[in-house]
Amino acid sequence: MGNSRLILAINGFIMIILGLSFWIFPDFFTLAMFPNIEKNNEAFNVAIALRKNMGAGCVFIGTLIFWCQSSPKFVAQKLLYCCGFGFFLLVAALLEVRLTRQAEVPILILILFALMGLISIYVASRRFQR
């Protein structure tokens, strides 16, 4: 668990899969987060467009993280700190949206990003890296 490059690859892969899921199944994610939106066709179309944009952004970030796995150890560690910080920002934003009932953010997504953040910071903080 002390390999920063491996964690970068895993983080990147998960973000790419998540992004592709948002792009391929925007209706599913939109209805999961906004169950009553289907009644308003215009809002539903806007939400689908936003899901697709989120998907493209996730693939972009995931690809960037994944391709950085071959970086030197000290660079990989810095990238993992950045990933951990970014994942915790996502958790905070999604939690705020969920708690204010703006959207039904799935608990699984919150747990996934929190775990990715914790693992990223844990591995980045390890003194000895492989």
Side-chain angles (χ1 to χ4, degrees), residues 75-93:
V75 174
Q77 282 182 285
K78 287 182 180 188
L79 286 168
L80 277 180
Y81 276 123
C82 182
C83 285
F85 178 73
F87 291 136
F88 285 132
L89 280 177
L90 281 170
V91 169

Side-chain angles (χ1 to χ4, degrees), residues 37-94:
I37 199 169
E38 204 170 24
K39 298 170 189 167
N40 185 336
N41 196 38
E42 192 173 320
F44 187 62
N45 289 335
V46 169
I48 286 174
L50 290 174
R51 250 18 92 232
K52 287 186 174 186
N53 286 331
M54 283 174 42
C58 285
V59 170
F60 168 68
I61 292 167
T63 303
L64 184 66
I65 294 169
F66 188 83
W67 282 347
C68 287
Q69 68 178 305
S70 60
S71 300
K73 286 186 278 188
F74 73 95
V75 174
Q77 282 182 285
K78 287 182 180 188
L79 286 168
L80 277 180
Y81 276 123
C82 182
C83 285
F85 178 73
F87 291 136
F88 285 132
L89 280 177
L90 281 170
V91 169
L94 292 171

